[in-house]
Amino acid sequence: MARLISQSDWATPMIVAVSLGVLISLFNPAFLSTFNIQVLLEAVSINVLIALSQMVIIAIGQMNLSVGALGGLAAVIFAGLMEVFGLPPIVAGALALGVGLAGGFLNGLLIGLTGISAFVITLATLSIFKGLNLAITQAQPFYEIPDAVKHFGNATLFGPFPIIFVPAALIVVLLVVFFNRLPVGRWLLAVGGNAHSAELSGISTAKTVVIAHAISGFLAACAGVLLVARLQLGQPTIGDDWLIMSFAAPIIGGAILAGGHVSTVATVFGVLIVAQITQALVLFHIDPFFVQVVLGLMILAAVSVNQWRELRMQRAGQE
């Protein structure tokens, strides 16, 4: 068992996450308080969906700059449908998730049809989705969120475990199965590893790109909907600060930006590491904006480690 763990992609980020938690708690025992753990798990529940929405795209060797804009659009649609049209939360949520799925599908379709890089396409759709967001909200939040939604976003199941942790955990499990057991998950990794070889093996690159972006849009919308429940309002700025976080956690988790290798579980631990650092800054009364500096440094360090690991593997293969 110990050998299996040590050889897993998520072993290193898990050790870092646990060590970081122990270190912070030694300097400030309040870190392990019930309230702080609840706040930490609430942040992880949202951020893990944001990170996974980018991780799916990294798997095919692309990037999605519109993650935050699409998640934010789904969030305000969810809130707006409940406030303006009085739709039940389940119906409004389903439609908001459908918007995320459709937006992701549009990204993938445009990339597949035009052959233009995902960077350019998603940069353009970022502007489109954000523009739609502001057109719908007029830059004003939706405040009339049903009590049931507010309760779902802030209540706990038992102890410090928030209810919103449940859908996030379920999605993590589904993605683990998706990448490890389902052929379509293997297609994504194959395309990311070598698109030409994947085509020769009978895998449609264009179809795979559409599937990846559709999943990414759906996950971003899930994050947006859960964030509305947690914040208890439909804020038009939701998603504006997601981009760095969406890249940081998968990269810390060992994802290769060129594609072909990602780890869902390692990404979860990457999210936990970032969340712990953010909480530590609050507990030690350090300017929370400093977290952006820390995230940037962590991304540089993780990319450097991944690059070193890749070069080492190539040299080992040549010997």
Side-chain angles (χ1 to χ4, degrees):
M1 183 66 178
R3 185 178 178 183
L4 180 63
I5 292 175
S6 65
Q7 293 177 344
S8 301
D9 292 336
W10 46 266
T12 299
M14 180 191 70
I15 293 170
V16 172
V18 172
S19 301
L20 187 60
V22 171
L23 183 64
I24 296 171
S25 63
L26 288 175
F27 284 97
N28 193 328
F31 180 75
L32 295 179
S33 67
T34 301
F35 174 75
N36 195 70
I37 291 175
Q38 180 182 339
V39 172
L40 183 69
L41 290 177
E42 286 174 346
V44 168
S45 299
I46 304 293
N47 290 341
V48 75
L49 297 177
I50 297 170
L52 292 175
S53 69
Q54 191 70 255
M55 186 200 76
V56 172
I57 303 303
I58 292 175
I60 59 172
Q62 296 183 2
M63 57 180 67
N64 184 359
L65 302 184
S66 68
V67 162
L70 186 51
L73 178 60
V76 298
I77 287 177
F78 174 54
L81 288 174
M82 292 186 293
E83 178 177 321
V84 178
F85 297 101
L87 292 183
I90 292 179
V91 176
L95 291 174
L97 295 180
V99 167
L101 188 67
F105 181 85
L106 176 64
N107 281 340
L109 193 63
L110 289 174
I111 293 166
L113 290 177
T114 65
I116 299 174
S117 74
F119 180 92
V120 175
I121 293 293
T122 57
L123 180 62
T125 56
L126 180 158
S127 182
I128 293 171
F129 298 145
K130 189 61 184 178
L132 290 173
N133 180 326
L134 296 175
I136 291 169
T137 62
Q138 296 298 302
Q140 298 298 315
F142 290 113
Y143 291 104
E144 301 299 322
I145 306 300
D147 290 339
V149 176
K150 294 178 181 179
H151 177 77
F152 180 81
N154 294 274
T156 58
L157 282 174
F158 54 88
F161 287 91
I163 293 178
I164 61 172
F165 186 78
V166 176
L170 179 61
I171 287 173
V172 168
V173 171
L174 290 175
L175 275 182
V176 169
V177 173
F178 176 80
F179 279 110
N180 291 287
R181 299 295 181 186
L182 299 183
V184 66
R186 293 296 186 183
W187 296 348
L188 267 64
L189 296 174
V191 169
N194 190 317
H196 181 66
S197 296
E199 285 279 4
L200 293 177
S201 300
I203 299 172
S204 170
T205 301
K207 185 185 294 185
T208 303
V209 167
V210 171
I211 291 171
H213 280 274
I215 294 172
S216 175
F218 178 80
L219 294 175
C222 287
V225 168
L226 289 184
L227 197 51
V228 168
R230 185 185 174 206
L231 297 177
Q232 304 185 24
L233 80 165
Q235 178 63 256
T237 57
I238 286 176
D240 288 356
D241 59 349
W242 287 7
L243 191 58
I244 296 297
M245 175 64 215
S246 73
F247 280 105
I251 292 172
I252 292 170
I256 297 175
L257 287 174
H261 178 81
V262 294
S263 171
T264 303
V265 177
T267 298
V268 173
F269 282 116
V271 171
L272 181 57
I273 290 169
V274 174
Q276 287 177 317
I277 291 172
T278 304
Q279 288 294 94
L281 293 176
V282 174
L283 290 173
F284 296 126
H285 306 290
I286 300 172
D287 190 338
F289 291 105
F290 187 67
V291 73
Q292 298 297 323
V293 177
V294 175
L295 283 178
L297 293 173
M298 289 177 69
I299 290 174
L300 285 174
V303 169
S304 299
V305 170
N306 289 344
Q307 187 71 16
W308 172 78
R309 186 189 302 161
E310 221 179 320
L311 288 172
R312 194 171 133 189
M313 290 174 64
Q314 287 177 0
R315 287 172 185 171
Q318 291 172 358
E319 292 176 355

